[in-house]
Amino acid sequence: VSMCNHSCSPNCTFSTNKSAIQVTAIQSIAKNEEITISYTNLLKPTKIRRNVLEKSKYFYCRCKRCEDCTELNSFFASYKCQNCIQGYLCPY
């Protein structure tokens, strides 16, 4: 697990018990693709995730999800526009 890098859209998750750490793929992983896990709470918006990572892990996250204001078309941290039917207001 210590060799896995961080992503806010990871391809693996991990769990622990008293004697072992288990890494489980949560999506298909291509040959030679990096294995990633999340170092932070994925249910937080980008600004909060980046802040937590910067303060606790000393890096500014530039993963695909953090670099996309729509958070990979999930609009997780966006506000629904009150003036249009399908619009969203991205926070940055």
Side-chain angles (χ1 to χ4, degrees):
V1 173
S2 66
M3 298 299 288
C4 296
N5 283 328
H6 165 80
S7 174
C8 291
S9 53
N11 56 21
C12 291
T13 186
F14 71 95
S15 59
T16 60
N17 63 34
K18 291 180 181 179
S19 62
I21 299 172
Q22 180 175 340
V23 177
T24 305
I26 55 175
Q27 62 188 36
S28 296
I29 302 171
K31 184 178 180 178
N32 296 324
E33 182 180 352
E34 180 178 39
I35 295 174
T36 58
I37 59 175
S38 177
Y39 298 168
T40 189
N41 185 340
L42 298 176
L43 298 178
K44 300 290 184 189
T46 299
K47 185 175 181 176
I48 293 172
R49 289 192 318 270
R50 280 179 159 171
N51 191 26
V52 167
L53 290 167
E54 202 164 18
K55 288 183 178 183
S56 66
K57 305 295 184 190
Y58 306 103
F59 72 90
Y60 186 80
C61 188
R62 295 187 187 279
C63 71
K64 288 188 294 186
R65 182 178 172 189
C66 285
E67 291 291 290
D68 179 5
C69 74
T70 70
E71 295 202 41
L72 303 177
N73 292 318
S74 70
F75 297 95
F76 188 81
S78 300
Y79 297 96
K80 180 85 170 110
C81 180
Q82 299 298 309
N83 297 322
C84 47
I85 296 170
Q86 296 178 335
Y88 291 90
L89 302 171
C90 291
Y92 58 95

